């Protein structure tokens, strides 16, 4: 099966928009080139700006299976690539013994065959179940250790992995690869060279307004405009963790659930935990600072008409 990839930057932007993702021109260009050149796309940026969502939207709009490798400290090949099904191998050995099979060489070959191989995300992406290819999301790569990052070099260069007992397994058709990083540590240049790179920044007010229109279309227009302006103002504050797009969407959804038509100081104070995730940040904004930001937001919006 061959999927239909977008043939232009405009078509890529339209593909993302069709999946409910509002991308700027630079991101659409990076993604278009990644798809055309068959190169992994490395997306770096603060948490909550929509990096992971790109892979989900591509999966939905292209009709390709999404295989997600969530990275964490201590991640190894057994969890990321493959491991042997030791329990099934032991049963096979016991059955062979019970049947009087003495050919140890043949038995060794049998129990280290693909029948006893447990495929983890990377191997699943190289050998998808159907005849098409997969979208491989390597999420939050900066959480892994450097040895695993080095292991990925073979995967991203040749789209193959080596299983010592079997040999090299190569993808018939390379998966579409999206890699994300929150930049808690630097990723090695050797890996970046195998990818196209794009920094995903916080959206400006106009794009964030578009995002809310797409994600929370039933929110009142006045409320949507105030939420965007308030969140944009929060990102100019000296906070430990600035709110991402995901928090903006959650806040709009929460306020719709509360049947609010516009922002007011009491509502902001009661729902700050939706948009800010650290108590120190909440305490810094709650009360007088929230009222000051809200007054400015309402004055600016009124001035624009």
């Amino acid at each position: 099966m061959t999927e239909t990839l977008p043939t232009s930057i405009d078509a890529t932007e339209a593909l993302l928009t069709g999946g409910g993702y509002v991308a700027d021109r630079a991101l659409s260009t990076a993604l278009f080139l990644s798809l055309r050149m068959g190169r992994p796309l490395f997306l770096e940026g603060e948490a909550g700006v929509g990096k992971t969502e790109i892979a989900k939207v591509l999966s939905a709009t292209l009709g390709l299976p999404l295989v997600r490798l969530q990275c964490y400290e201590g991640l190894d090949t057994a969890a990321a690539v493959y491991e042997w099904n030791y329990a099934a191998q032991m049963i096979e050995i016991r059955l062979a013994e019970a049947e009087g099979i003495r050919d140890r060489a043949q038995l060794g070959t049998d129990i280290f065959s693909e029948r006893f191989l447990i495929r983890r995300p990377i191997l699943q992406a190289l050998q998808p179940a159907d005849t098409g290819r997969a979208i491989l999301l390597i999420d939050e790569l900066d959480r892994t250790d450097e040895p695993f990052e080095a292991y990925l070099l073979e995967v991203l260069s040749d789209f193959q992995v080596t299983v010592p007992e079997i040999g090299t397994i190569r993808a018939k058709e390379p998966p579409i690869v999206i890699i994300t990083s929150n930049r808690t540590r630097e990723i090695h240049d050797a890996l970046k060279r195998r990818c196209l790179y794009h920094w995903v920044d916080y959206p400006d007010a106009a794009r964030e307004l578009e995002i809310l229109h797409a994600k929370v279309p039933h929110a009142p227009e006045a409320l949507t405009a105030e939420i965007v302006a308030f969140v944009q103002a929060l990102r100019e504050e000296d906070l430990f963790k600035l709110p991402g797009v995901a928090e903006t969407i959650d806040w709009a959804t929460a306020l719709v659930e509360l049947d609010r038509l516009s922002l007011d100081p009491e509502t902001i104070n009661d729902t700050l935990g939706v948009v800010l995730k650290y108590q120190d940040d909440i305490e810094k904004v709650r009360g007088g600072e929230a009222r000051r930001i809200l007054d400015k937001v309402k004055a600016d919006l009124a001035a624009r008409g």
Side-chain angles (χ1 to χ4, degrees):
M1 182 176 70
T2 301
E3 71 283 347
T4 303
L5 295 179
T7 56
S8 66
I9 299 171
D10 288 338
T12 305
E13 198 167 349
L15 183 79
L16 294 174
T17 302
Y21 192 99
V22 181
D24 59 24
R25 188 72 175 176
L27 176 55
S28 298
T29 302
L31 179 58
F32 169 68
L33 292 174
S34 168
L35 295 174
R36 294 288 292 185
M37 297 166 66
R39 297 278 293 276
L41 180 58
F42 186 92
L43 298 174
E44 203 165 44
E46 299 292 339
V49 294
K51 304 185 295 297
T52 300
E53 191 68 14
I54 287 283
K56 295 179 180 177
V57 170
L58 278 181
S59 171
T61 53
L62 293 177
L64 299 176
L66 175 65
V67 180
R68 179 174 183 167
L69 174 62
Q70 180 62 54
C71 298
Y72 54 86
E73 187 176 355
L75 179 67
D76 59 14
T77 56
V81 188
Y82 76 92
E83 65 179 325
W84 292 106
N85 188 337
Y86 295 117
Q89 287 174 320
M90 287 301 298
I91 292 174
E92 188 73 7
I93 292 171
R94 295 286 182 267
L95 289 173
E97 290 174 345
E99 293 171 2
I101 298 175
R102 303 299 182 194
D103 189 341
R104 296 177 62 182
Q106 183 59 48
L107 181 58
T109 300
D110 289 343
I111 63 173
F112 285 106
S113 63
E114 292 202 30
R115 187 157 64 99
F116 296 96
L117 197 64
I118 300 175
R119 292 168 171 77
R120 298 307 185 192
I122 287 180
L123 196 49
Q124 290 174 18
L126 296 182
Q127 292 185 307
D130 59 18
T131 55
R133 58 174 168 171
I135 292 177
L136 173 61
L137 168 63
I138 303 176
D139 209 12
E140 300 183 340
L141 179 62
D142 51 321
R143 291 180 179 274
T144 62
D145 305 308
E146 291 187 2
F148 181 76
E149 186 185 318
Y151 176 84
L152 284 179
L153 296 180
E154 180 187 11
V155 176
L156 299 181
S157 293
D158 304 318
F159 297 104
Q160 66 180 33
V161 297
T162 301
V163 181
E165 297 86 350
I166 294 178
T168 299
I169 298 175
R170 183 176 292 107
K172 291 181 180 177
E173 190 172 7
I176 294 171
V177 182
I178 304 291
I179 303 172
T180 76
S181 167
N182 294 334
R183 208 176 190 182
T184 58
R185 70 170 177 84
E186 286 295 328
I187 301 300
H188 199 279
D189 286 348
L191 190 139
K192 284 186 173 180
R193 282 199 301 272
R194 287 158 171 78
C195 309
L196 301 188
Y197 175 87
H198 182 77
W199 174 265
V200 184
D201 209 346
Y202 293 113
D204 60 21
R207 190 158 72 87
E208 194 154 31
L209 202 58
E210 284 186 61
I211 292 170
L212 277 196
H213 285 154
K215 294 295 185 181
V216 196
H218 47 291
E221 184 61 35
L223 178 65
T224 300
E226 289 179 357
I227 289 171
V228 169
F230 196 94
V231 171
Q232 293 276 328
L234 281 180
R235 292 188 186 129
E236 296 177 359
E237 298 288 311
D238 182 21
L239 301 176
F240 180 74
K241 173 67 176 71
L242 300 179
V245 177
E247 281 73 38
T248 309
I249 295 170
D250 283 347
W251 201 26
T253 304
L255 294 177
V256 168
E257 290 294 324
L258 295 173
D259 295 324
R260 294 296 187 271
L261 299 177
S262 65
L263 290 179
D264 60 77
E266 184 180 14
T267 298
I268 293 173
N269 289 333
D270 290 345
T271 59
L272 271 177
V274 180
V275 74
L276 298 175
K277 303 301 180 181
Y278 287 86
Q279 180 61 17
D280 288 349
D281 289 343
I282 292 174
E283 287 303 317
K284 186 178 291 185
V285 173
R286 191 197 302 275
E289 185 63 7
R291 181 180 292 278
R292 183 192 67 78
I293 296 173
L294 180 60
D295 288 345
K296 185 174 186 306
V297 163
K298 286 185 179 287
D300 289 346
L301 291 175
R304 291 179 211 164

